[in-house]
């Protein structure tokens, strides 16, 4: 009898907990995105949008040095936006005539459709469409990319090498801390769960908050270059804009795409006639420096460039 009463009280307690948890969870899931900081609001206000297949894409386009023919296009990383470049933006305008950056589809202030099959191929086509929109499709472009943007740059380079009409004409390419070799890429635990979580992924994206985001992203930076809390809030505000946290699992499929199309994208870096430069932070935990350096040193990319130098010297 006593045991039966105890079980009844326990059931009642769990029912009460459940009844309390439901409205709390509902309130949590409907927490509005953080307000834009003055700096991020200014970035958005100074930018523009163009339409790609019915989708709005945010971009920045600044005129810099008068008389210079140089144009640079900046391709940002995951999971942030073109705002990543704001600290060096003014400096770039002192070097280039046009400085252009966009928020990829699913990022920043661009549209974030769902469900949607996000792909590197589509992102590369959006870059090409932006340059057509700006009337720059026949100009030679310098590309500066980071992380996720590196793969988009590799696809653009592949198309350029194929001499396909209407494709981007690349003058130079600078890649920074991107997993150009899938086998040296070490995604974070949360990234693994989101890209391969199946039914769990939509739950995780809805439960993600600033605390989880900031704790997961901060270790990716070096000990002396970690973002301030206000900068992390700016990144999170960009993600939460247009419910972007709900498409992160779809965007992360780029990791699987990179494995599938390794030959296409790594091969694009071999035997090129344009200058290619790498900027690589050696403390990157996602793309470990020793493994990357060893694979890069023994890759066709380096062997081809060595062969060219030897032929020239001979």
């Amino acid at each position: 009898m006593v045991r039966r009463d105890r079980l009844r009280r326990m059931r009642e307690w769990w029912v009460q907990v459940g009844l309390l948890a439901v409205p709390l969870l509902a309130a949590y899931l409907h927490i509005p995105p953080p307000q834009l900081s003055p700096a991020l609001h200014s970035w958005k206000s100074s930018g523009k949008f163009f339409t790609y297949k019915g989708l709005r894409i945010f971009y920045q386009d600044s005129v810099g040095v008068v008389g210079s023919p140089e144009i640079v296009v900046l391709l940002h990383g995951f999971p942030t936006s073109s705002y990543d470049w704001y600290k060096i933006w003014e400096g770039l305008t002192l070097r280039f005539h046009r400085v252009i950056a966009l928020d990829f589809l699913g990022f920043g202030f661009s549209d974030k459709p769902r469900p949607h099959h996000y792909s590197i191929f589509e992102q590369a086509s959006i870059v090409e469409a932006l340059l057509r929109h700006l009337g720059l499709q026949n100009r030679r472009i310098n590309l500066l990319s980071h992380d996720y943007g590196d793969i988009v740059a590799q696809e653009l380079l592949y198309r350029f090498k194929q001499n396909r009409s209407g494709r981007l004409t690349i003058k130079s390419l600078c890649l920074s801390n991107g997993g150009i070799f899938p086998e040296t890429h070490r995604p974070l635990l949360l990234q693994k769960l989101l890209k391969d979580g199946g039914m769990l992924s939509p739950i995780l994206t809805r439960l993600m908050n600033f605390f989880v985001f900031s704790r997961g992203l901060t270790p990716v930076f070096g000990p002396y270059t970690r973002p301030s809390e206000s900068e992390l809030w700016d990144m999170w505000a960009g993600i939460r804009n247009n419910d972007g946290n709900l498409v992160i699992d779809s965007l992360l499929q780029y990791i699987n795409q990179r494995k599938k199309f390794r030959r296409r994208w790594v091969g694009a870096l071999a035997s090129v006639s344009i200058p290619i430069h790498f900027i690589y932070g050696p403390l990157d935990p996602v793309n470990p420096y020793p493994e990357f350096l060893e694979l890069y040193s023994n890759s066709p990319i380096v062997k081809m460039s060595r062969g060219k130098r030897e032929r020239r010297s001979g």
Side-chain angles (χ1 to χ4, degrees):
M1 191 74 170
V2 174
R3 183 179 179 184
R4 199 175 301 167
D5 288 341
R6 187 180 300 166
L7 289 172
R8 180 179 56 80
R9 286 196 297 270
M10 286 182 66
R11 282 195 298 269
E12 291 174 352
W13 184 83
W14 279 111
V15 169
Q16 291 172 357
V17 169
L19 291 173
L20 179 63
V22 168
L24 288 176
L25 181 60
Y28 173 80
L29 294 177
H30 288 85
I31 293 176
Q35 290 188 341
L36 304 184
S37 68
L40 190 55
H41 184 271
S42 175
W43 182 262
K44 182 181 181 182
S45 300
S46 62
K48 299 175 183 177
F49 290 86
F50 86 104
T51 302
Y52 174 81
K53 296 185 177 180
L55 299 165
R56 279 164 42 95
I57 304 297
F58 175 83
Y59 70 95
Q60 287 278 359
D61 178 17
S62 293
V63 176
V65 179
V66 177
S68 169
E70 299 292 338
I71 301 168
V72 63
V73 175
L74 314 176
L75 308 176
H76 68 80
F78 178 91
T80 47
S81 69
S82 59
Y83 189 63
D84 285 356
W85 306 105
Y86 82 99
K87 286 187 177 181
I88 64 171
W89 194 264
E90 184 177 354
L92 290 172
T93 61
L94 299 176
R95 169 66 179 82
F96 296 92
H97 175 58
R98 295 280 287 274
V99 182
I100 301 163
L102 77 159
D103 288 353
F104 290 125
L105 185 68
F107 295 81
F109 297 120
S110 291
D111 280 352
K112 299 169 179 176
R114 67 180 198 276
H116 184 81
H117 176 65
Y118 290 91
S119 77
I120 295 299
F121 300 103
E122 181 179 44
Q123 304 288 20
S125 295
I126 289 172
V127 175
E128 293 173 338
L130 172 60
L131 291 172
R132 286 195 299 272
H133 172 75
L134 297 174
L136 301 173
Q137 66 271 26
N138 296 321
R139 300 289 297 275
R140 299 178 70 198
I141 305 297
N142 301 283
L143 288 178
L144 171 57
S145 61
H146 172 66
D147 186 57
Y148 182 94
D150 284 2
I151 317 168
V152 179
Q154 287 173 261
E155 171 58 20
L156 290 168
L157 181 62
Y158 175 85
R159 297 180 185 188
F160 169 65
K161 288 180 63 178
Q162 299 301 309
N163 294 319
R164 297 182 179 177
S165 60
R167 300 305 189 188
L168 196 66
T169 302
I170 302 173
K171 182 177 182 181
S172 70
L173 173 60
C174 181
L175 304 163
S176 62
N177 277 71
I180 64 171
F181 299 112
E183 53 269 50
T184 66
H185 184 252
R186 301 289 181 267
L188 303 174
L189 175 61
L190 184 59
Q191 290 178 320
K192 292 179 183 178
L193 290 173
L194 287 171
K195 81 176 181 70
D196 298 323
M199 296 297 292
L200 186 63
S201 296
I203 299 173
L204 291 174
T205 56
R206 289 185 177 277
L207 293 178
M208 188 180 297
N209 56 28
F210 173 74
F211 177 80
V212 174
F213 164 74
S214 59
R215 287 299 180 94
L217 187 66
T218 299
V220 172
F221 292 83
Y224 307 110
T225 58
R226 289 182 176 175
S228 65
E229 185 167 344
S230 62
E231 289 172 329
L232 285 167
W233 273 109
D234 281 339
M235 295 176 192
W236 180 239
I239 291 171
R240 283 297 314 274
N241 183 69
N242 292 336
D243 293 326
N245 55 304
L246 301 183
V247 302
I248 285 181
D249 55 333
S250 299
L251 291 171
L252 276 168
Q253 295 310 307
Y254 82 89
I255 297 175
N256 297 327
Q257 293 168 25
R258 182 165 52 195
K259 292 179 180 178
K260 183 177 180 179
F261 298 102
R262 181 195 188 280
R263 178 176 295 182
R264 177 186 179 104
W265 292 333
V266 174
L269 294 169
S271 185
V272 293
S273 57
I274 62 169
I276 296 183
H277 184 68
F278 288 88
I279 300 175
Y280 205 95
L283 297 181
D284 187 346
V286 179
N287 301 289
Y289 174 72
E291 297 175 32
F292 172 87
L293 185 61
E294 181 180 357
L295 188 58
Y296 173 73
S297 299
N298 295 313
S299 71
I301 304 169
V302 175
K303 291 177 181 177
M304 291 296 294
S305 62
R306 283 174 182 162
K308 287 182 179 180
R309 287 198 299 269
E310 288 170 1
R311 286 194 296 271
R312 290 194 191 107
S313 62

